[in-house]
Amino acid sequence: MAMPAPNPMRDAPKLPAPRQRPIKPRSVLLVNPFYAKDVHASFGKHVLVPSLALTSIAGATPAPWTVSYWDENLLQGAPPTDPVPEVVGITVHLTFAKRAYELAAWFRAHGSIVVLGGLHALSCPDEVAAHADAVVIGNGVPTWPKVLRDIEAGRLEKRYRAEYVDYAKDPLPDRSIVPEYGFLSRASIIATQGCHNRCDFCYLATGDTRIKYQMRGPADVAREFESTGEPYAVFVDNNLGSNRRYLRELCRELRPLRKIWSAAVTLDVTDDPSLVRDMALAGCTGVFIGFESLTDANIRLAGKRSPRADDYARRVDVLHANGIQVNGSFVVGFDHDKKDAFELLAEWIENVRLECATFHILTPYPDTPLFRRMKSEGRLLHEDWSLYDTAHCVFRPKHMTPEELEAGYAWLYERLFSLSSIWSRRPHDPAAVAPYLGMALLYKRMNPVWQRLIQHRMTHVVWKPLVEATRQRHLRFRERLARRGPVRSQLPTILRPSV
């Protein structure tokens, strides 16, 4: 019986047998390993912007070392080995840890020195170290030059630890290593580091990790954005709005650029509608907000500071009134979620007309408070990290079976990205309907198209005119917004979403 053909979005490219080739001295290859894509979610989100971690490491690479980049998720096959790089740096996340270890062994068989780092090195340093010549735990950017100097001197250490300090002094990322064809934009930017929340399910709550909240100069951030040459940027900060005075100053610097951007913020940014207006005038077209749950008890259990759930809808309206689209992130499977939680959530998202929604099954990442609690209660089903991807249930929920939780998760994506639901969530502003429909259809319903665009290096070519059209439309909107003055929330929406 013939074996099924590999699925490029689910199966990693095959690694050929190692061959003896010359090693290129003082060369570095940075690798983002393949990870299986969730068939329920959007394939397009994986090529939005490149890994900031790897471009930042590239920016910290000293001369005369040369550096190149390979992202297996661009579907161009296995990483190159002709010539063999002297040093290979691989970022490790728990969901693709197995693939990272396969790549590490493969490159070591070629004779390369392999250095591993990333989030998984924070939570499972012993596991990661077993597969590398060296592991970097923590902020690798200030540590990277020392690692390379130690390699030159023949005194490479097994482990390097670095704290998250003096963030503003880190060198700028080197985006020139990233192939332009592969991403919507190469401008992944971080202005602040850390978060004022310490949710028990978040990676920032791993072990004794404490990432000091730090801010880069707003003018420096604006200059970086300008230097990318990109019309659109994604701020990858955990919460760009943690310090409202800082965000307002940043908006003041970004506004003259006449570019557009999106960012993750918490919902309390709407405490000050004038700040939301400043964001829009500075080019913010969309925000990613972790609502997490419509049940206040779930939010309290997670340890997150958040507005009450019955005020969510009014706050969403503040963003909509300023032309900012909302991608709401929701976690399902909390201890207070029952079987009706999925339908209630879908109805609420449609009622408030969220332009986009992202769903995650509650996942106890290693060494987080949630993981330790679940393990002590005997609720973990296994520790197969490849399934800790927020698309699989890896624990025993309180009010449903694991199978029911996974089915509810899949149903949410099916419901919210059905044509009828997409249409029901269209904006009130007629001028915004067509762009919204294009975004909503591309985000999820065009997954087969996304696969082909990625494989054939067409992502940037196809997206570029759409981004420019969005920028031009938003510039016109900003002119109207500036003329009419501060916008008040228009809808007295008091839909109580709490379950």
Side-chain angles (χ1 to χ4, degrees):
M1 185 175 179
M3 294 290 291
N7 182 336
M9 305 306 290
R10 299 290 301 170
D11 302 313
K14 186 177 179 180
L15 297 175
R19 293 171 55 190
Q20 293 301 314
R21 294 188 175 96
I23 292 178
K24 182 179 179 181
R26 289 181 173 173
S27 63
V28 175
L29 176 65
L30 301 175
V31 181
N32 190 36
F34 178 88
Y35 51 86
K37 312 304 179 289
D38 179 5
V39 295
H40 303 297
S42 167
F43 289 169
K45 70 179 183 179
H46 302 288
V47 288
L48 181 60
V49 288
S51 163
L52 185 59
L54 294 183
T55 55
S56 297
I57 291 293
T61 302
W65 288 83
T66 60
V67 61
S68 55
Y69 171 95
W70 191 264
D71 189 335
E72 288 194 302
N73 301 287
L74 298 183
L75 308 184
Q76 302 300 304
T81 56
D82 189 12
V84 175
E86 181 177 358
V87 177
V88 176
I90 304 175
T91 184
V92 188
H93 186 281
L94 84 166
T95 54
F96 55 73
K98 182 179 178 181
R99 178 61 176 181
Y101 302 153
E102 291 174 352
L103 289 168
W106 187 63
F107 276 111
R108 293 173 87 182
H110 281 87
S112 298
I113 297 169
V114 172
V115 182
L116 300 182
L119 291 172
H120 198 50
L122 271 175
S123 53
C124 298
D126 292 341
E127 176 190 308
V128 174
H131 297 273
D133 295 291
V135 61
V136 177
I137 302 166
N139 183 11
V141 175
T143 310
W144 184 241
K146 174 175 171 50
V147 172
L148 295 181
R149 287 196 302 269
D150 287 353
I151 289 173
E152 289 177 322
R155 57 169 185 261
L156 182 67
E157 299 175 20
K158 187 65 177 176
R159 297 192 186 203
Y160 294 81
R161 292 183 178 271
E163 300 299 323
Y164 292 87
V165 295
D166 296 329
Y167 169 62
K169 295 182 180 179
D170 286 352
L172 290 178
D174 181 0
R175 298 180 177 86
S176 68
I177 66 169
V178 177
E180 184 182 44
Y181 67 77
F183 298 93
L184 167 71
S185 170
R186 289 187 289 185
S188 46
I189 298 175
I190 186 166
T192 65
Q193 195 173 68
C195 183
H196 64 260
N197 280 309
R198 189 171 171 82
C199 305
D200 75 342
F201 56 81
C202 179
Y203 252 121
L204 294 183
T206 297
D208 60 356
T209 299
R210 292 291 187 277
I211 300 179
K212 176 185 175 183
Y213 184 76
Q214 302 176 74
M215 300 167 286
R216 290 175 54 210
D220 293 337
V221 175
R223 281 193 292 269
E224 180 183 351
F225 188 2
E226 181 72 10
S227 71
T228 67
E230 298 281 3
Y232 169 67
V234 176
F235 284 93
V236 297
D237 307 52
N238 296 110
N239 177 9
L240 190 61
S242 274
N243 184 310
R244 294 176 196 169
R245 179 179 296 178
Y246 174 84
L247 178 54
R248 197 181 299 276
E249 292 174 359
L250 178 62
C251 288
R252 190 176 299 117
E253 295 291 340
L254 294 176
R255 184 171 177 176
L257 301 185
R258 296 174 63 82
K259 299 191 179 196
I260 56 176
W261 50 274
S262 60
V265 298
T266 48
L267 194 56
D268 57 9
V269 74
T270 57
D271 287 349
D272 184 353
S274 71
L275 176 58
V276 177
R277 180 174 182 269
D278 284 347
M279 292 167 61
L281 291 172
C284 180
T285 58
V287 290
F288 181 88
I289 293 179
F291 293 90
E292 318 307 358
S293 176
L294 302 181
T295 303
D296 291 326
N298 285 332
I299 301 297
R300 289 193 296 270
L301 182 64
K304 181 171 185 174
R305 289 175 287 175
S306 176
R308 284 180 53 83
D310 59 8
D311 198 31
Y312 283 1
R314 181 190 66 81
R315 291 170 177 272
V316 168
D317 183 51
V318 173
L319 294 158
H320 283 169
N322 286 277
I324 297 176
Q325 296 190 350
V326 179
N327 183 350
S329 175
F330 299 90
V331 177
V332 292
F334 282 116
D335 282 356
H336 295 280
D337 283 345
K338 298 181 180 178
K339 295 179 183 179
D340 62 350
F342 308 106
E343 186 169 356
L344 290 168
L345 177 54
E347 290 176 354
W348 183 84
I349 291 170
E350 290 173 346
N351 284 337
V352 300
R353 298 195 176 202
L354 286 193
E355 288 83 358
C356 191
T358 304
F359 305 103
H360 313 272
I361 293 175
L362 183 68
T363 300
Y365 293 135
D367 205 25
T368 58
L370 178 64
F371 181 89
R372 294 193 292 271
R373 176 166 64 84
M374 290 278 189
K375 192 162 188 174
S376 69
E377 294 172 358
R379 294 173 62 186
L380 294 181
L381 299 177
H382 55 75
E383 295 185 16
D384 179 355
W385 303 140
S386 66
L387 298 179
Y388 278 58
D389 58 359
T390 77
H392 294 85
C393 181
V394 299
F395 70 100
R396 292 185 181 84
K398 281 208 168 179
H399 299 291
M400 63 190 89
T401 66
E403 292 76 18
E404 288 171 332
L405 178 52
E406 289 187 355
Y409 163 83
W411 177 84
L412 280 168
Y413 271 116
E414 182 179 352
R415 163 77 175 261
L416 268 298
F417 289 95
S418 65
L419 292 177
S420 60
S421 181
I422 289 173
W423 179 249
S424 74
R425 292 181 283 118
R426 67 194 185 278
H428 290 288
D429 179 5
V433 172
Y436 155 74
L437 291 176
M439 181 278 296
L441 294 172
L442 276 171
Y443 183 77
K444 172 67 173 70
R445 294 189 62 87
M446 298 294 187
N447 274 352
V449 174
W450 274 115
Q451 179 179 324
R452 289 170 176 78
L453 290 178
I454 296 167
Q455 285 179 308
H456 295 289
R457 303 186 175 191
M458 297 292 291
T459 300
H460 189 77
V461 170
V462 170
W463 267 108
K464 187 175 181 179
L466 298 177
V467 170
E468 180 58 22
T470 300
R471 189 182 73 87
Q472 292 294 338
R473 184 181 69 83
H474 200 265
L475 287 173
R476 293 191 294 271
F477 170 80
R478 276 185 247 178
E479 292 174 357
R480 298 195 302 271
L481 181 63
R483 285 196 301 268
R484 73 189 186 208
V487 179
R488 296 181 179 273
S489 178
Q490 298 172 340
L491 299 177
T493 313
I494 312 296
L495 297 173
R496 180 172 180 82
S498 295
V499 178

